[in-house]
Amino acid sequence: MPSRHAAQVFVLTLTAMTATIPFAHASASPEPSAPPPVTAERSVTTGGIEIQKKDPAGDILVGASFALLDASGNPAAEGKTGADGLLRLDGLMPGAYRLKETASGSPIHDTVADQDVIITDAVTPMVIIDPFKAADLTVKKADKETGKPLPGAVINVTPVSGKGETLTLTTGADGTAKAKLPVSARAGTAYTATETKAPAGYQLSAKPVTVTAKPGAPVTAEFTNSKIPPTKPPTSAPPTSPTTPKPSTSSTPPATTSPSPSGTPTVAETASSTTSPAPTGSLANTGGGSARWIGLLAGALIIAGGGAVWALRRRTQRTTP
C-alpha cells in the first residue's frame, strides 16, 4: 500500500511540472522592446525693431502708440514710446509685418502712414517722424459797404518762405473757401493770401493778407471789395460847323471923290463914317463886317486910281502950248 501511494504522488508531481513549464518559459524570456526615437532639438532665433519717435523739429515724442501686424492682419506686438521716445518690439519670428501708428500721443502732431517692415534675426532700429497737424484755413470775401458775402473771388495762398506749394481757392455761394495748410514748425508757418480775380462787378483787392498757420488750429483770411463805379459820359463840347459869310445889308452909299484945294482928291464922308466911330478890336464873326471893310478897300482903290488919272491930265495940260 505504501508503494502504490508513492507512485500516485510521483505521477501527480510530474503532471504538474509538465503543465507549468510553458508558462514559466513565456514569462522568463520576453521579447526586447524597441528604444524610443531620438529627436534633435532645433534652435530658433527671433528678432524685432526699436522705434525712435521724433517730430520735424527733432523733439522726441512720448506716448506714441504702435501695433505690429502679421501677414494675416493679427496683432503680433504693440506698445507705446517711453520718456526717451523709444519703443522696442522683439521676440518676433523673422518675416514680413505691417507697422501701424495708432496714436501720436500729441495734440499738435499727426500720425504717419502704415508701412511694411521685415523682421530678421536681429533688432533693427527705426526713426519715425510725426508731422505737425495741418491748420484749418478759411477765406472770407464780403462787400465792403454792406458785408454781403461775395462768391467767385479767386485767392492764391503762398508760403512766405517760398518753400512749398501755392494753393488756389475760389469763394463759394457763402463767400468762403476752406483748405488745409501744412505747418512745418511748432510756432506756426506764415502764408500770404492774394486776390487774383475779383467777384463780378467789384474792384480787385490790391492789398494781400498775411496769416500764421499753427499746428491743428483754425486761421482766417478776410477780404472786402468795393463795387466798380459807374462810367461817366464824356464832357467835351460838340464840334462847331464853319460860319458862312452873309451878304451885306448895309445901306451905306458908295464913297465919292471931290477935288481938294491942293489938287489932291479926298474921300467924301459917308453917313456911316460921321455917325459911328471907327471899329476897334477884332471883327465880329458876321458877314456884314467883312463886307464893310471890302467896300472901304474898294473905295480907296477907286480914289487912288481917279487921283492918278487927274494928275496925268493936269500934267498934259501944262505941257501943251
Side-chain angles (χ1 to χ4, degrees):
M1 290 297 292
S3 60
R4 185 178 178 182
H5 178 72
Q8 290 178 347
V9 171
F10 177 76
V11 172
L12 292 174
T13 302
L14 181 61
T15 303
M17 291 177 63
T18 304
T20 58
I21 286 175
F23 177 77
H25 176 76
S27 60
S29 58
E31 294 183 1
S33 60
V38 178
T39 58
E41 294 184 0
R42 293 183 303 171
S43 59
V44 179
T45 57
T46 59
I49 56 175
E50 184 178 72
I51 299 172
Q52 173 72 68
K53 193 66 175 174
K54 296 181 179 182
D55 71 359
D59 298 329
I60 62 173
L61 296 180
V62 179
S65 300
F66 289 90
L68 196 63
L69 310 178
D70 61 17
S72 300
N74 299 317
E78 58 186 8
K80 292 183 179 181
T81 57
D84 55 358
L86 294 176
L87 171 62
R88 185 184 179 95
L89 302 174
D90 53 9
L92 302 169
M93 296 295 294
Y97 291 83
R98 187 77 168 169
L99 182 63
K100 182 180 184 65
E101 184 178 12
T102 57
S104 68
S106 169
I108 64 172
H109 292 87
D110 211 346
T111 58
V112 296
D114 298 352
Q115 54 185 305
D116 293 327
V117 296
I118 301 297
I119 301 297
T120 64
D121 56 358
V123 176
T124 303
M126 297 179 62
V127 177
I128 298 180
I129 298 177
D130 276 348
F132 290 105
K133 287 185 176 180
D136 297 316
L137 171 66
T138 300
V139 174
K140 293 184 178 181
K141 173 66 71 170
D143 185 292
K144 187 175 183 179
E145 302 297 331
T146 64
K148 175 185 175 182
L150 299 178
V154 178
I155 310 295
N156 283 352
V157 184
T158 307
V160 173
S161 65
K163 300 178 180 180
E165 297 181 354
T166 296
L167 299 178
T168 300
L169 307 176
T170 303
T171 57
D174 60 351
T176 66
K178 298 180 182 293
K180 293 284 188 179
L181 286 182
V183 179
S184 58
R186 186 182 294 268
T189 302
Y191 285 85
T192 299
T194 306
E195 183 179 40
T196 60
K197 180 182 178 183
Y202 285 83
Q203 302 180 60
L204 193 70
S205 294
K207 185 178 180 180
V209 175
T210 301
V211 297
T212 300
K214 295 186 177 181
V219 61
T220 303
E222 297 186 4
F223 292 84
T224 57
N225 291 82
S226 299
K227 289 185 177 181
I228 298 175
T231 304
K232 296 182 179 180
T235 56
S236 59
T240 56
S241 58
T243 303
T244 303
K246 297 180 180 180
S248 175
T249 56
S250 175
S251 58
T252 304
T256 58
T257 60
S258 59
S260 62
S262 61
T264 304
T266 61
V267 180
E269 293 183 351
T270 62
S272 59
S273 63
T274 57
T275 58
S276 60
T280 60
S282 60
L283 296 176
N285 190 16
T286 61
S290 300
R292 183 181 303 111
W293 282 103
I294 292 173
L296 291 176
L297 181 59
L301 293 175
I302 292 171
I303 293 173
V309 171
W310 181 81
L312 180 61
R313 184 177 298 174
R314 183 75 177 259
R315 182 179 300 175
T316 302
Q317 290 176 355
R318 288 178 180 179
T319 56
T320 301

